[in-house]
């Protein structure tokens, strides 16, 4: 079981050559929406694909904001039987930075409360608040990112 839930790695093996894989990904490509098209109905389960020579990036389009949608980055390597596709799914850098900042602040507050209780020599139930928040934020992050990874794989 992974305890740090913000990156997932998968390897796919196929009989296709790398250039065929990139061509198929380019066929899936959806045009980016213009600013004035934001009010139009959104097509779910569409993907934005950026392709390079042996590398690609895939972004799933959704109608609402979701910080836990994984960024999918893949590398295609030629093998004797065809190709290996190395796929990594990770959180957006801003989401990871914001979560780290928020989580770090909560850890500091928890440590200050614990240090105060140790220096005064008695236990206060107030420690359960920040500790429960630490557990809750970790659990929500892990479950939402994992469910979005499963949706992206399907």
């Amino acid at each position: 079981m992974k305890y740090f839930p913000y990156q997932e790695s998968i390897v796919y093996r196929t009989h296709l050559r790398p250039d065929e894989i990139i061509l198929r990904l380019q066929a899936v490509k959806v045009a980016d929406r213009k600013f004035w098209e934001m009010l139009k109905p959104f097509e779910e389960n569409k993907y934005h694909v950026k392709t390079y020579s042996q590398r690609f990036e895939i972004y799933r389009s959704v109608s609402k904001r979701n910080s836990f949608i994984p960024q999918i980055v893949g590398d295609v390597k030629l093998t004797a039987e065809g190709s290996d596709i190395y796929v990594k799914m990770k959180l957006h850098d801003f989401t990871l930075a914001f979560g780290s900042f928020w989580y770090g602040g909560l850890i500091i507050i928890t440590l200050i409360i614990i240090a105060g209780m140790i220096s005064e020599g008695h236990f206060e139930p107030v420690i359960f608040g920040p500790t429960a928040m630490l557990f809750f934020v970790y659990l929500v992050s892990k479950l939402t990112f994992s469910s979005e990874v499963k949706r992206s794989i399907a």
Side-chain angles (χ1 to χ4, degrees), residues 14-57:
T14 180
H15 64 279
L16 299 173
R17 292 187 329 265
D19 56 338
E20 294 177 58
I21 295 168
I22 297 298
L23 285 173
R24 288 188 181 194
L25 284 170
Q26 288 173 342
V28 175
K29 197 176 216 177
V30 175
D32 289 329
R33 289 170 49 126
K34 307 288 187 262
F35 178 74
W36 55 86
E37 294 176 334
M38 294 295 173
L39 298 176
K40 292 182 181 178
F42 204 88
E43 297 179 50
E44 289 285 336
N45 297 326
K46 292 287 186 175
Y47 293 88
H48 296 279
V49 180
K50 293 180 183 178
T51 56
Y52 308 99
S53 61
Q54 300 292 314
R55 187 175 176 84
F56 60 89
E57 297 174 4

Side-chain angles (χ1 to χ4, degrees), residues 22 28 37-38 75 83 89 93 118 136:
I22 297 298
V28 175
E37 294 176 334
M38 294 295 173
D75 290 310
S83 298
M89 295 185 228
D93 293 336
I118 290 172
F136 178 73

Side-chain angles (χ1 to χ4, degrees), residues 23 77 139 144:
L23 285 173
K77 306 284 184 195
L139 190 64
T144 53

Side-chain angles (χ1 to χ4, degrees), residues 76-105:
V76 183
K77 306 284 184 195
L78 183 63
T79 62
E81 299 85 29
S83 298
D84 285 348
I85 306 168
Y86 298 92
V87 178
K88 285 189 180 182
M89 295 185 228
K90 64 181 189 98
L91 273 179
H92 190 277
D93 293 336
F94 181 77
T95 303
L96 193 56
F98 179 80
S100 298
F101 176 74
W102 192 88
Y103 207 67

Side-chain angles (χ1 to χ4, degrees), residues 3-19:
Y3 296 110
F4 192 68
Y6 306 117
Q7 186 164 341
E8 191 76 30
S9 298
I10 303 170
V11 177
Y12 295 103
R13 290 185 167 76
T14 180
H15 64 279
L16 299 173
R17 292 187 329 265
D19 56 338

